[in-house]
């Protein structure tokens, strides 16, 4: 704690000096000064110290009370001016930017030397809040010049920090130099909190230039420092939202933005609250929640206008207009408003929002039959392909493609789209974590959909296949890079395993577990942060052509489904030739898929009820007709490789008449299937593992040991997460009988229950040599979370990205007894040399001879993923 001895003036100044280092101690020192009945200027300085410390602790109403009092009680012009300067800072934070600017401007004539430099910096802060960025940069520059002349290192660091942050948001160079020098200066002065703030701003700068992994690493490190200092920073939630939206991790951005709104409203931080409402609107827009997007954007815009922050109000208007566009509005007033807003956004430095608004305005103009206006808008947007972040450059190529299509130049449009997707490919490879790569696929959607439309309209099946493969399941193209050992991640996963086990015990016992749930959520967030900051790497793999696929398919037939507008198209590859087919409405197929899964689940839970069996048969036949009638003449009785689309990734394929009795392999993409099919089988011994609370699983492993002599068994207390992860390495075959939980909210936290707690999908990414074939007999173990671009997440994605050749798993809950019987038959056939897909089909066919509804549903629940 700082020394608080000496005169009242010295002690009041000591309190002021302690604000950045120890805000709570600063308040205590200042209150002792006030209690001693000081003179007017000493009292003003003490009140100012309390106000600024409360600002650091995010109590804005309290801060403003003390800072106004500091102005009122000051006796000398200099002291009053210094108090006004600090009041201006507090008012700006509270959203009263006009009053803040008046207060700081009034203070300037009364100050000289370093005091004038501090006033210049505070005036820059207020201008920054008001969106007058060029003026703010000039004020910060004057403050730096004064600080260097006066030898005031603290003032220089503060001004550099503010200038660096502003230039980061504007995309101006020199940002890192200002921020790094500010962080170093704060550290030399012993101002740990200020140094942490400057380093956090370096993370913002990294995110603004598209270095997502670097920003995540920075935020994770600095967040630990804030926790150590025990100083709340709720406004920093906004920076996290910005980064999440840039990936985009939409669901998480919605949660964080909602939390930011709640917390900033509670603390009375009006300026940051307006920005939080805007962040909430942007997240809701990406999530497709157009009502929330419109409502939150309108509320943000109203607050910005009251605060005199007109440039921010334009940004909020941009979100409102985009929501109207997403609703399907195509009108002349919308076109006019979008074009005007795009110009205003450009003029105030919001390059990204301006670009998006201008592209959509061009599409509105084209829809209204105004091609000339559309070309003009798109031509301006196309300039972005030359500079900026990967996302902006890709949007620029997209704009050029749209413009060329308006001119009838389909070939030129396709070239532009390929250039844009190549930019995104390189960006994706810079992201180390599978999760980030999967979510980043959202940015390729518009480009790939446009290219797909060109190919479909040309009736070119090989081109349709190429465009589909350029976008889908790209996260599986390269295994995520990871250091050999990350002790922080290992420790966090171990702690989460312990907490999850304790939580399950409490839930099973019927006891409240609020504290454990909160601890679990915090640990999961920490693990996500640690996993996301891994460095990127890997080469971009070009999608295979029809010839490369045909060379591996042999007698098999590949059916790749794609979404084209509201319909499903399919590219069928057989005997080296590709054909294009229209299967039907995507929504109808998704609905039939849901109904079929429900019918099979009902058949398992209700037993062999006639109604359940009839329902399953009816929905299976309807879905089968929609998907396979247009293809039937080319399928014959050949084995199938199916690349589904959207909700069809979880279809129990062998439950459909066309797929029953034949080998069927399901893959996220043709590229992923080809890579898996080319892999050599590892030669390691088989591994059999059984989890706790599953007596049938232990019996299953015991009986499988007779089918697979020499297999390594992990049962009882030996079946730990570490033991199983180690056993996966280089094994030719792995069979796991354990309770499984699929996490739709975050598939990478899907689990298999083992002796020491859950094994997370995250953990399998650390295996060096992937197993050949993995069989999971747990319920729902084959379910996947879908992200834009048909990116699958969960055990399937992790294993295929890892390099496993195939995975046999369930897409439905399954009962124990028929599952064990099916597994014994499956492994006996594979042991005899039959390939996994054929062995599964033959085992399922044997079950078909048994007139038992639950057994039939159990057999249908298993799917062979990868390359069987």
């Amino acid at each position: 704690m700082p020394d608080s001895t000496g005169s009242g003036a010295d002690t009041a100044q000591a309190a002021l000096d302690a604000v950045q280092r120890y805000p709570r101690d600063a308040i205590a020192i200042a209150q002792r000064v006030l209690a001693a009945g000081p003179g007017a200027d000493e009292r003003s300085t003490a009140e100012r110290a309390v106000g600024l410390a409360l600002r650091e602790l995010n109590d804005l109403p309290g801060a403003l009370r003390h800072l106004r009092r500091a102005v009122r009680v000051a006796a000398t012009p200099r002291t009053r001016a210094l108090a006004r300067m600090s009041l201006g800072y507090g008012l700006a934070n509270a959203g009263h930017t006009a009053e803040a600017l008046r207060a700081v401007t009034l203070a300037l004539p009364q100050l000289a030397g370093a005091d004038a430099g501090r006033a210049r910096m505070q005036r820059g802060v207020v201008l920054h809040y008001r969106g007058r960025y060029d003026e703010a940069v000039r004020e910060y520059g004057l403050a730096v010049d004064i600080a260097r002349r006066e030898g005031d290192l603290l003032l220089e660091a503060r001004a550099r920090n503010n200038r660096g942050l502003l230039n980061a948001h504007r995309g101006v160079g020199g940002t890192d130099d200002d921020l790094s020098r500010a962080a170093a200066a704060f550290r030399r002065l012993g101002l740990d909190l200020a140094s942490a703030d400057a380093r956090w701003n370096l993370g913002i700068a990294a995110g603004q230039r598209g270095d997502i992994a670097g920003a995540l690493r920075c935020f994770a490190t600095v967040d630990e420092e804030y926790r150590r200092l025990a100083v709340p920073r709720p406004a920093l939630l906004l920076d996290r939202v910005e980064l999440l939206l840039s990936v985009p991790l939409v669901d998480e951005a919605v949660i964080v933005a909602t939390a930011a709104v709640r917390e900033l409203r509670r603390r009375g931080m009006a300026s940051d609250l307006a920005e939080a409402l805007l962040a909430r609107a942007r997240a809701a827009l990406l999530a497709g929640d157009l009502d929330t997007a419109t409502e939150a954007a309108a509320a943000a815009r109203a607050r910005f206008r009251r605060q005199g922050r007109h440039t921010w109000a334009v940004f909020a208007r941009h979100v409102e207009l985009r929501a109207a566009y997403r609703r399907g509005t195509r009108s002349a007033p919308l076109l006019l408003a979008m074009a005007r807003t795009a110009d205003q956004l450009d003029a105030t430095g919001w390059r990204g929002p301006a670009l998006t608004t201008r592209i959509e305005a061009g599409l509105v103009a084209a829809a209204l039959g105004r091609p000339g206006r559309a070309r003009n808008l798109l031509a301006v947007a196309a300039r972005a392909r030359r500079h900026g972040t990967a996302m902006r450059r890709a949007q620029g190529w997209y704009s050029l493609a749209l413009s060329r299509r308006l001119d009838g130049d389909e070939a030129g449009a396709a070239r532009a789209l390929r250039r844009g997707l190549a930019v995104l490919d390189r960006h994706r490879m810079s992201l180390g974590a599978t999760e980030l790569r999967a979510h980043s696929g959202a940015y390729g959607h518009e480009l790939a959909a446009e290219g797909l439309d060109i190919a479909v309209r040309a009736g070119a099946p090989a081109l349709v296949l190429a465009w589909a493969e350029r976008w889908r399941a790209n996260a599986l193209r390269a295994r995520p890079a990871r250091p050999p050992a990350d002790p922080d991640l290992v420790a966090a996963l171990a702690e989460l395993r312990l907490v999850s086990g304790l939580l399950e015990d409490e839930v099973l016992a019927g006891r409240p577990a609020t504290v454990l749930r909160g601890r679990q959520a915090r640990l999961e967030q920490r693990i996500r942060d640690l996993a996301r900051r891994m460095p990127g790497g890997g080469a971009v793999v070009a999608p295979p052509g029809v010839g490369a696929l045909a060379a591996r398919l042999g007698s098999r037939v590949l059916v790749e489904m794609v979404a084209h507008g509201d319909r499903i198209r399919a590219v069928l590859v057989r005997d080296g030739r590709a054909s294009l087919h229209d299967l039907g409405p995507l929504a109808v197929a998704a609905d039939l898929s849901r109904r079929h899964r429900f019918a099979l689940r009902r058949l398992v839970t209700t037993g062999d009820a006639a109604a359940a069996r009839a329902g399953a048969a009816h929905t299976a036949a309807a879905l089968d007709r929609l998907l396979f009638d247009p293809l039937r003449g080319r399928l014959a009785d050949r084995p199938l490789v199916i690349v589904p689309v959207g909700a069809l990734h979880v279809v129990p394929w062998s439950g459909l008449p066309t797929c029953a009795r034949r080998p069927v392999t399901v893959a996220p993409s043709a590229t992923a299937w080809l890579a898996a099919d080319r892999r050599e089988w590892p030669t390691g011994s088989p591994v059999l593992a059984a989890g706790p609370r599953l007596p049938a699983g232990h019996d299953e492993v015991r009986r499988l040991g007779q089918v697979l002599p020499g297999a390594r068994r992990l049962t009882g207390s030996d079946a730990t997460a570490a033991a199983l992860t180690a056993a996966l390495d280089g094994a030719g075959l792995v069979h796991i009988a354990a309770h499984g939980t699929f996490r739709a909210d975050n598939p990478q936290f899907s689990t298999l229950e083992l002796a020491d707690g859950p094994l997370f999908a995250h953990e399998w990414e650390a295996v060096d040599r992937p197993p050949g074939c993995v069989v999971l007999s747990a319920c729902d173990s084959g379910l996947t979370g879908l992200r834009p671009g048909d990116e699958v997440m969960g055990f399937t994605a992790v294993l295929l990205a890892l390099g496993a050749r195939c995975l046999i798993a369930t897409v439905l809950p399954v009962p124990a007894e028929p599952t064990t019987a099916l597994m014994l038959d499956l492994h006996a056939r594979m042991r005899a040399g039959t390939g996994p897909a054929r062995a599964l089909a033959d085992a399922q066919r044997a079950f078909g001879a048994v007139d038992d509804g639950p057994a039939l549903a159990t057999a249908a629940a298993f799917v062979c993923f990868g390359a069987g």
Side-chain angles (χ1 to χ4, degrees):
M1 181 171 170
D3 182 10
S4 57
T5 60
S7 68
D10 291 341
T11 307
Q13 185 60 46
L16 197 62
D17 293 340
V19 165
Q20 280 283 322
R21 291 187 180 88
Y22 316 104
R24 291 184 176 84
D25 292 346
I27 293 172
I29 296 169
Q31 285 174 339
R32 286 198 291 273
V33 173
L34 294 171
D41 280 354
E42 288 86 352
R43 183 181 176 193
S44 176
T45 302
E47 292 283 4
R48 187 171 157 227
V50 174
L52 290 174
L54 288 173
R55 163 63 190 87
E56 289 297 316
L57 297 172
N58 298 296
D59 179 2
L60 270 180
L64 290 176
R65 283 197 305 273
H66 286 276
L67 292 172
R68 290 185 192 280
R69 198 175 297 153
V71 174
R72 286 198 306 271
V73 303
T76 63
R78 175 181 178 272
T79 303
R80 185 176 297 108
L82 290 172
R84 279 195 175 121
M85 178 182 70
S86 296
L87 175 62
Y89 179 56
L91 288 167
N93 277 266
H96 308 307
T97 57
E99 187 182 353
L101 188 59
R102 285 196 297 273
V104 178
T105 303
L106 277 172
L108 266 172
Q110 307 297 325
L111 300 171
D115 289 340
R118 281 185 279 275
R120 288 289 180 189
M121 186 191 69
Q122 296 293 15
R123 191 166 189 273
V125 170
V126 179
L127 291 167
H128 186 164
Y129 273 109
R130 288 182 68 83
R132 292 160 62 175
Y133 300 134
D134 290 338
E135 294 173 75
V137 167
R138 280 197 297 273
E139 295 289 347
Y140 291 146
L142 288 170
V144 169
D145 292 341
I146 293 171
R148 297 185 71 179
R149 185 175 65 240
E150 299 290 328
D152 191 327
L153 185 60
L154 176 59
L155 172 59
E156 181 183 352
R158 287 174 172 167
R160 284 190 182 279
N161 179 60
N162 290 351
R163 184 171 67 181
L165 178 61
L166 176 53
N167 283 334
H169 283 298
R170 300 170 82 208
V172 176
T175 295
D176 283 9
D177 179 64
D178 265 342
L179 294 174
S180 297
R181 291 174 70 171
F186 285 134
R187 195 160 48 246
R188 285 200 300 275
L189 293 166
L191 301 176
D192 292 346
L193 180 58
S195 181
D197 287 342
R199 286 184 285 121
W200 182 277
N201 292 341
L202 279 165
I204 295 174
Q208 288 292 323
R209 62 175 178 265
D211 181 7
I212 305 301
L216 286 166
R217 285 193 295 274
C218 185
F219 284 170
T221 302
V222 179
D223 192 54
E224 292 174 5
E225 181 74 357
Y226 285 136
R227 292 179 188 278
R228 184 184 70 79
L229 294 169
V231 175
R233 279 287 189 265
L236 301 184
L237 290 172
L238 300 179
D239 299 324
R240 184 174 289 278
V241 174
E242 189 71 32
L243 194 64
L244 293 170
L245 290 176
S246 72
V247 174
L249 294 161
V250 178
D251 293 343
E252 194 174 337
V254 169
I255 293 170
V256 176
T258 302
V261 169
R262 183 175 59 250
E263 182 66 13
L264 294 168
R265 179 176 279 131
R266 184 178 73 82
R267 293 178 180 273
M269 300 174 71
S271 180
D272 290 321
L273 174 58
E275 294 178 35
L277 285 167
L278 176 57
R280 185 180 183 186
R282 294 169 63 204
L285 182 68
L286 285 180
D289 183 358
L290 302 182
D291 290 340
T292 298
T294 302
E295 179 184 344
R301 183 158 65 101
R303 285 177 174 271
F304 287 137
R305 293 179 69 177
R306 286 198 301 271
Q307 295 170 10
R309 302 171 67 187
H310 299 296
T311 57
W312 283 86
V314 173
F315 196 168
R317 178 61 172 156
H318 142 85
V319 178
E320 290 180 88
L321 295 174
R322 290 201 67 201
Y325 173 82
R326 292 285 185 90
R327 290 183 194 278
T329 303
R330 302 291 186 271
S331 65
L334 178 63
L335 171 60
L336 180 63
M338 293 183 91
R340 184 192 311 120
T341 300
D343 289 341
Q344 291 171 334
L345 289 166
D346 257 338
T348 53
W350 298 110
R351 306 294 184 200
L355 177 58
T356 303
T357 302
R358 190 166 283 116
I359 292 171
E360 291 179 351
L363 291 169
V364 171
L368 294 174
R370 300 176 60 180
R373 181 67 170 136
R375 287 189 188 92
N376 290 338
L377 289 163
L378 294 171
V380 174
R383 297 172 189 162
R385 70 189 188 278
R386 305 295 187 195
H387 52 79
T389 65
M391 279 68 77
R392 289 185 202 170
R393 296 200 310 277
Q395 283 183 296
W397 286 110
Y398 175 58
S399 304
L400 182 62
L402 292 175
S403 180
R404 286 176 174 174
R405 290 200 80 183
L406 285 173
D407 292 332
D409 182 7
E410 301 281 67
R415 286 194 299 274
L417 293 168
R418 282 193 289 269
R419 293 286 296 274
L421 285 170
V423 169
L424 292 176
D425 278 341
R426 289 190 292 274
H427 170 67
R428 184 178 290 109
M429 290 304 106
S430 73
L431 305 174
T434 298
E435 180 193 24
L436 297 185
R437 287 180 174 175
H439 283 274
S440 69
Y443 286 112
H445 170 65
E446 292 172 326
L447 289 88
E450 201 72 21
L452 188 69
D453 184 65
I454 292 171
V456 169
R457 292 179 185 279
L463 287 178
V464 172
L465 180 67
W467 280 109
E469 288 295 308
R470 283 302 304 266
W471 181 53
R472 76 188 320 158
N474 276 324
L476 301 183
R477 288 190 185 185
R479 185 177 174 187
R482 184 182 300 281
D486 182 349
D488 291 337
L489 184 58
V490 170
L493 284 165
E495 185 179 355
L496 179 60
R497 189 169 6 265
L498 173 64
V499 169
S500 298
L502 293 172
L503 176 60
E504 185 169 4
D505 290 343
E506 294 298 290
V507 170
L508 290 174
R511 293 188 290 266
T514 305
V515 173
L516 284 172
R517 290 188 192 280
R519 189 175 166 193
Q520 181 188 49
R522 289 191 295 274
L523 280 168
E524 287 184 359
Q525 182 59 59
R526 174 165 171 73
I527 289 165
R528 283 195 292 266
D529 286 343
L530 288 168
R532 289 170 182 171
R533 68 189 192 183
M534 298 303 173
V540 177
V541 179
V546 172
L549 291 170
R552 296 296 302 188
L553 283 168
S555 64
R556 293 172 288 192
V557 176
L558 181 140
V559 177
E560 175 147 351
M561 301 174 188
V562 297
H564 178 234
D566 60 357
R567 299 189 70 78
I568 303 177
R569 312 280 182 178
V571 177
L572 185 146
V573 180
R574 167 182 161 160
D575 297 335
R577 296 174 63 89
S579 54
L580 180 62
H581 307 267
D582 182 6
L583 303 187
L586 179 59
V588 173
D591 180 61
L592 286 172
S593 172
R594 285 190 292 270
R595 289 164 56 193
H596 182 224
R597 287 173 49 77
F598 174 78
L600 288 174
R601 290 171 68 103
R602 189 162 168 255
L603 189 56
V604 168
T605 56
T606 63
D608 198 16
R613 181 177 281 204
H618 174 74
T619 54
L623 182 58
D624 190 84
R625 284 193 299 271
L626 188 149
L627 296 179
F628 294 114
D629 270 3
L631 312 174
R632 202 165 305 283
R634 301 186 57 80
L635 296 180
D637 59 353
R638 297 187 180 203
L640 294 181
V641 176
I642 298 175
V643 179
V645 63
L648 303 186
H649 277 278
V650 292
V651 167
W653 292 97
S654 68
L656 304 185
T658 298
C659 297
R661 303 176 180 272
R662 79 168 85 206
V664 176
T665 302
V666 178
S669 68
T671 306
W673 172 82
L674 183 61
D677 198 65
R678 285 171 170 169
R679 290 181 189 125
E680 295 294 328
W681 281 93
T683 57
S685 299
V687 175
L688 306 174
R693 298 191 305 108
L694 191 64
H698 286 264
D699 180 61
E700 183 173 296
V701 164
R702 179 185 61 78
R703 296 170 68 183
L704 283 173
Q706 299 168 1
V707 177
L708 300 169
R712 179 183 177 187
R713 298 190 208 179
L714 296 173
T715 59
S717 60
D718 293 333
T720 63
L724 180 55
T725 302
L728 288 174
D729 195 82
L733 173 68
V734 177
H735 179 99
I736 305 171
H739 285 297
T741 302
F742 175 71
R743 285 278 300 272
D745 62 320
N746 194 323
Q748 300 301 87
F749 284 105
S750 297
T751 60
L752 294 174
E753 186 179 343
L754 296 174
D756 58 341
L759 172 69
F760 300 97
H762 262 299
E763 297 179 85
W764 288 16
E765 292 183 339
V767 174
D768 289 327
R769 296 177 302 157
C773 179
V774 178
V775 180
L776 301 178
S777 58
C779 297
D780 295 333
S781 53
L783 290 182
T784 57
L786 282 177
R787 300 296 180 260
D790 276 333
E791 297 285 5
V792 295
M793 295 184 68
F795 283 114
T796 304
V798 170
L799 283 166
L800 293 181
L802 183 64
R805 205 170 189 276
C806 74
L807 164 70
I808 294 176
T810 66
V811 293
L812 290 167
V814 288
E817 288 187 13
T819 296
T820 297
L822 180 68
M823 294 296 95
L824 288 168
D825 192 356
L826 168 69
H827 282 287
R829 295 175 190 276
M830 287 198 291
R831 174 74 173 175
T834 305
R838 170 68 70 181
L840 179 61
D842 290 346
Q844 289 168 327
R845 182 169 51 196
F847 262 60
V850 180
D851 189 19
D852 179 77
L856 292 174
T858 299
F862 280 86
V863 178
C864 181
F865 298 96

